Each structure stands twice: as C-alpha cells, then as structure tokens.
Amino acid sequence: MVTINKSPIDAREYSYKVLSNSLRAIFVYDSQAVKASGSLSVAAGSMHDPKDVPGLAHFCEHIVFMGTTEYPKENAFDEFLSKNGGSTNAHTEQCTTHYYFDCAASALRETLRLFASFFTCPLFLPGSVSREVQSVDSEFAGIRKHDATRLHWLWHGHLNKANPILNQGHGNKESLNVPNLRERVCEFFNRHYSSNMMTAVVYGPFNIEELESMATPLLERIPNRNVEEIKKQLEIYPEPYGKEYSGRLFKVIPTKLKRQLILKWCLPCYGFQYETKPYNYVLDLLGHEGPNSLLSYLKRRNWAITIVSMIEHSYPSFSAFSVTVKLTDRGEAQWKDVVEAIFGYLKIIKGVDIAKNAYILEEAAFISSLKFAYKSKDHCIDYVQSMSESLQWHSPEHVLDYYYLSSTTSLKEIREFNALLSPDTVDMFLVSKNVKAKSTSRPWGTKYSVESIPEEMLEKLKNPLIPKESEAGLPPPNEFISYEICLLYTSDAAD
C-alpha cells in the first residue's frame, strides 16, 4: 500500500490506486471542502504533433470538450457546471495535456460522468472543428506579444529540433489549415489518449470509499491502448542539447520597454532527481539578496535592479538553468561587465569547501521543510491539477512533497552540477530596444540576431575578475532561523 507524504497539518485523507486499465488515480477526502473537483492528465502533448500539423495536440484539447456520444450537445459540460457553481479548464504542454474542473459537491457524480465521457466517446463534431480553430488562433494572437513566451520559443528553435520535445505546438489558423482536420484529430486521439498514460485525481467532502465508487467505474471505461511511455518514445531521438547548440549570443528586441540579460544552460533532465536537487545549492546562492550577495555587488555599481535564478524541467529530456538580470541603463551599457561578474561569482561558489559551509545546505533544507509543513491550502481545482500532473513524473509517495525535498544531496552531486555552468555551454540573451536585429522568428515575429560568443569574451569568462571578499561571497549563517518550532505557553498566557 502506498502512503502519500503529506504535511503534518494536512487533515485530508489520500488514497492511491492503479485501476484495472492501468490508469493511476488519487482520491482525496476533505471533510471541510465546500466544492468537489477532479483532474485528468494524459501523456500526450505537442511532442506528438505531426510535422505537417503543428498545434494538433492543443487543438485536440479544445475539441474534446465539444460533445460526446453520451452528451452530444456541444456545450453540455459548460452549461452543467455553470448551473452547479463550477468551472473547467485545460492546457497542453510538450509531453502532457491536463483537464480539470470544480463543481458543487452535490454535483460531483454527474460531473464525473460528463467529464469521463470526453475520454471514452468524444464526437469531434464537424461544426465544432472550424469554431475551435478560431479559438486556438485567438489564444495564439493573445500570447504572441508576450516577451517571455517569445524568448522561450526563440531559444527552443535554436536547440536540436530533431527532438520532438522542442515542437512549437501552440498552433494557429495557418498551421491547422490542413485537409481532413477532423480525421487527423480523431487519429491523434485514438493513437495517444490511452488509460495507461493517464493520471487522475478526484477530490471532495466524501470518504475515500465513496469517491472511489463514484469515479472508478467511469475511469475504467477509458480504453487502454498500451501506449509506450514517453521516455521510451524519446530514446530514438538525439538529445536536444549539445556543444553545437550553445555558446551563442542572442540580441533580442522586446515588445515592451525592458532591459534584460539572460544566461541559459541546456542540461540533462534533473527533474527526476527531486529527492536530492543538486542544483539548489547554486540556485540559493545566486538568488541571495542580502549583504555580500551577487545582487548587492551589481546594485552598488548601479548595473542591476533584480536578479532571478531558476531551473525549469522539460520532462523527460532536459532542464534549463537560467540567470535573469533586470538591467539599469548603466547595466545595459556595461552588460559584458555584468556577465563577467556572474561568472566571477560562480567561480567563488565552485571554489567553496561545501562541507565546511554546510550551514548553507542545512538552512535551505530546513526552510524548505517548514514551507511544506505549514503549507496553506490551494484552491481545489489548482490542487487536483497539480497532483495529476505531478503523478505523471513523480512517485505517488512524493506527489505532494517532491518540490520541497533536498536534504539528501551529496557534495559530489553538487560539484558535478556546478561544473556544468561553464562559459563554453552558455547561451546569452541581451534583451533591449537598443539592439539591432537581422532576423525574425516565425510564427512569433521575434526580431533578433544571433552569433557565436566572441572568443575573446569566452576566454575572459573562463578566468573572470572575482569580486573582492568584502564585496561578494557566501551569505553568513542566518541567525533568525529557529530550529525549534513549537508554541510556548505560560500560565499567565493560558489564563
């Protein structure tokens, strides 16, 4: 029996079950819940788009909602939810698509019937097809001017596109303008929407037995087409990263007035190392904002306003580690000095005796454990969606706490990860209205230029000027962290 790790203040009950059709499900009993909710995630996404129909997975997400054999009216689900205090949404990612809803608790059984029918008998009505193409195109028009999205796809377009994990899969009316679109989406659904690739969560103010009895018969009707797992599907393709896909300088004109310097590394996927997270050490140090931090060093020179470091996992193929600096006018003019300062600080981090400064790891692990232990409740629809998505990539025991684990990191793993953050493998992005563009990316319309990082600059970054110890280094131990968390009562206070 699987025990799902939960916060000590979480009074909800959880049950994990593998159904007869290999669909993996979690049932959550919340005695205090006002609403019920559900989510289903399927391991089918933009990576599965045919080359001649970019956006087909996203289009499938839209059209699935438009009527089923059991409930043929096009908007039956939306109408039912609107009458029962509910809502629904869905979104498509590279490898997965997620569907989720909430509703009045009294309506959960019937909502589940409607919801499950999307995955057993969708109609893909011809009249719905043309309308949903317009809906997808409207979404695309809405996000086309988002600078973060444009930068994301600009970079992905310059990695190894032989790997389908990099498919630009949003879709628009041009990409979906193909003959027999209805037949193509039916084929896509029947090929990829298989119960053995699905995870589901059902949540409400009903005990586990009641939730299981409501949902299990409906979810078990979803056919198992024995689709091969994503990792296996991707084994035949080259890795999306490599030496030939790094060491570049991008100059990008944004849609809004902003000045940014972004350093990005495309690395092997570290998302599965969620119990150790060897990347957290350098993330925490780069993100430190107090005295002696990299940010304080940059601010003293009036080069930067903020600095954000992060890692994003594109399961199961790669992870993207980035450092983003919001530049001042002066910082933009001296952006090369800002890059050198970042690599100088990375050199400090790499040269530190981690064992002698173990407090850095201990503090971070303890604070992370506190965040999980005292985590507040999420809205139920967000909660079930995050759980069904998490279950696609993490063991059922850790669907809730995977983000907060890190206490078992080895020093060797940390050093190996830090070594990956080198000048030879970085891509740089200078984002400014003042740069000159030579190209325009399609279909996003991003104006940019790209070239190899000059050799002279690379050599300088391999031996960067290291900030003085008095200006930048490790943060001191945090004297405000209390390792004893308990309530203290006195006899007077009790009275």
Side-chain angles (χ1 to χ4, degrees):
M1 181 177 176
V2 171
T3 300
I4 294 174
N5 296 339
K6 65 176 187 175
S7 161
I9 66 169
D10 186 352
R12 292 167 290 198
E13 295 178 17
Y14 299 83
S15 174
Y16 170 75
K17 185 177 181 180
V18 181
L19 307 188
S20 62
N21 58 353
S22 297
L23 185 150
R24 292 168 289 148
I26 293 175
F27 303 93
V28 186
Y29 166 47
D30 183 353
S31 62
Q32 299 178 336
V34 176
K35 283 189 170 186
S37 56
S39 176
L40 186 142
S41 299
V42 56
S46 299
M47 66 162 280
H48 298 104
D49 285 346
K51 287 188 179 297
D52 63 327
V53 198
L56 189 62
H58 184 208
F59 179 70
C60 183
E61 169 225 304
H62 275 246
I63 200 70
V64 156
F65 280 111
M66 298 292 109
T68 67
T69 302
E70 294 180 26
Y71 302 90
K73 190 175 180 181
E74 189 176 81
N75 294 307
F77 191 53
D78 286 337
E79 288 180 6
F80 182 82
L81 288 176
S82 67
K83 294 175 183 177
N84 289 277
S87 62
T88 185
N89 210 338
H91 66 273
T92 302
E93 299 184 355
Q94 295 305 107
C95 296
T96 50
T97 303
H98 310 281
Y99 302 84
Y100 35 101
F101 69 86
D102 64 4
C103 63
S106 59
L108 177 60
R109 187 182 298 274
E110 186 60 23
T111 305
L112 285 169
R113 287 185 185 279
L114 279 152
F115 186 70
S117 70
F118 296 147
F119 311 104
T120 57
C121 53
L123 288 175
F124 302 113
L125 295 168
S128 302
V129 169
S130 58
R131 283 192 292 275
E132 289 310 306
V133 168
Q134 292 301 319
S135 177
V136 169
D137 192 65
S138 294
E139 282 187 16
F140 176 74
I143 66 170
R144 190 170 180 264
K145 295 297 184 182
H146 293 183
D147 283 316
T149 303
R150 289 156 71 96
L151 285 168
H152 172 88
W153 288 116
L154 175 63
W155 190 50
H156 276 215
H158 284 79
L159 298 175
N160 190 347
K161 290 182 285 188
N163 192 309
I165 197 78
L166 299 170
N167 286 352
Q168 297 200 30
H170 191 280
N172 56 29
K173 62 183 178 183
E174 283 78 24
S175 72
L176 296 172
N177 183 22
V178 296
N180 305 314
L181 179 59
R182 181 182 182 275
E183 287 72 17
R184 297 297 296 273
V185 75
C186 288
E187 179 186 357
F188 180 93
F189 179 89
N190 291 325
R191 184 180 212 176
H192 298 292
Y193 274 53
S194 174
S195 60
N196 73 306
M197 302 296 282
M198 293 179 176
T199 52
V201 178
V202 182
Y203 180 109
F206 307 98
N207 64 42
I208 297 296
E209 291 74 19
E210 289 179 283
L211 291 170
E212 288 185 0
S213 68
M214 283 188 214
T216 299
L218 299 170
L219 294 174
E220 287 187 329
R221 291 167 53 194
I222 301 173
N224 183 354
R225 299 182 171 93
N226 293 305
V227 172
E228 192 174 47
E229 67 174 9
I230 295 290
K231 277 186 179 180
K232 290 284 187 182
Q233 293 176 36
L234 286 168
E235 282 179 356
I236 64 172
Y237 298 102
E239 301 291 1
Y241 50 85
K243 190 172 182 180
E244 64 270 40
Y245 303 105
S246 60
R248 297 161 301 186
L249 170 60
F250 294 80
K251 294 180 179 179
V252 185
I253 299 175
T255 60
K256 296 181 179 179
L257 184 61
K258 61 170 62 178
R259 293 177 294 270
Q260 284 184 324
L261 173 69
I262 306 171
L263 307 187
K264 295 179 80 78
W265 288 265
C266 191
L267 308 171
C269 187
Y270 276 82
F272 298 106
Q273 297 185 37
Y274 55 86
E275 294 189 59
T276 57
K277 296 186 180 70
Y279 46 81
N280 267 2
Y281 181 78
V282 67
L283 273 179
D284 290 339
L285 291 176
L286 286 171
H288 175 56
E289 297 182 351
N292 231 33
S293 64
L294 173 61
L295 180 61
S296 66
Y297 178 84
L298 297 175
K299 279 188 169 182
R300 276 196 296 273
R301 284 153 181 77
N302 193 23
W303 289 345
I305 300 169
T306 61
I307 184 168
V308 176
S309 59
M310 63 188 299
I311 190 165
E312 298 172 284
H313 307 301
S314 291
Y315 294 96
S317 293
F318 69 97
S319 293
F321 187 97
S322 63
V323 180
T324 301
V325 182
K326 186 176 181 181
L327 299 168
T328 61
D329 286 339
R330 186 174 179 181
E332 181 184 346
Q334 296 181 244
W335 68 270
K336 292 181 181 179
D337 294 320
V338 177
V339 173
E340 185 176 12
I342 293 171
F343 277 99
Y345 192 71
L346 281 172
K347 191 167 185 177
I348 292 174
I349 293 173
K350 293 175 182 179
V352 165
D353 187 327
I354 301 172
K356 289 184 178 178
N357 295 276
Y359 69 89
I360 296 172
L361 289 171
E362 291 166 1
E363 287 180 359
F366 182 71
I367 290 173
S368 189
S369 69
L370 284 183
K371 287 179 179 178
F372 180 68
Y374 297 97
K375 188 177 184 296
S376 59
K377 271 189 175 183
D378 294 322
H379 190 285
C380 64
I381 192 172
D382 299 324
Y383 197 55
V384 296
Q385 189 277 311
S386 66
M387 270 196 286
S388 67
E389 180 175 4
S390 176
L391 192 55
Q392 284 284 330
W393 307 114
H394 309 117
S395 68
E397 294 89 348
H398 294 303
V399 290
L400 299 178
D401 70 348
Y402 74 94
Y403 181 79
Y404 303 91
L405 301 171
S406 64
S407 58
T408 58
T409 312
S410 75
L411 304 188
K412 180 175 179 290
E413 288 176 313
I414 293 172
R415 284 191 288 267
E416 288 175 348
F417 182 85
N418 291 350
L420 296 174
L421 306 181
S422 74
D424 291 320
T425 55
V426 73
D427 276 331
M428 300 181 191
F429 294 78
L430 179 62
V431 182
S432 168
K433 291 283 190 180
N434 299 318
V435 300
K436 293 182 179 179
K438 297 179 180 178
S439 304
T440 302
S441 73
R442 301 297 179 194
W444 299 94
T446 310
K447 297 185 182 300
Y448 73 100
S449 65
V450 60
E451 61 186 274
S452 296
I453 298 172
E455 195 62 38
E456 180 183 349
M457 186 177 184
L458 273 179
E459 290 304 314
K460 192 172 186 180
L461 296 179
K462 290 175 183 177
N463 293 285
L465 179 67
I466 298 176
K468 296 178 182 178
E469 188 175 343
S470 59
E471 291 188 298
L474 301 182
N478 189 337
E479 61 185 33
F480 298 103
I481 294 178
S482 172
Y483 289 90
E484 293 185 14
I485 308 297
C486 60
L487 293 174
L488 299 179
Y489 292 94
T490 65
S491 56
D492 290 340
D495 294 336

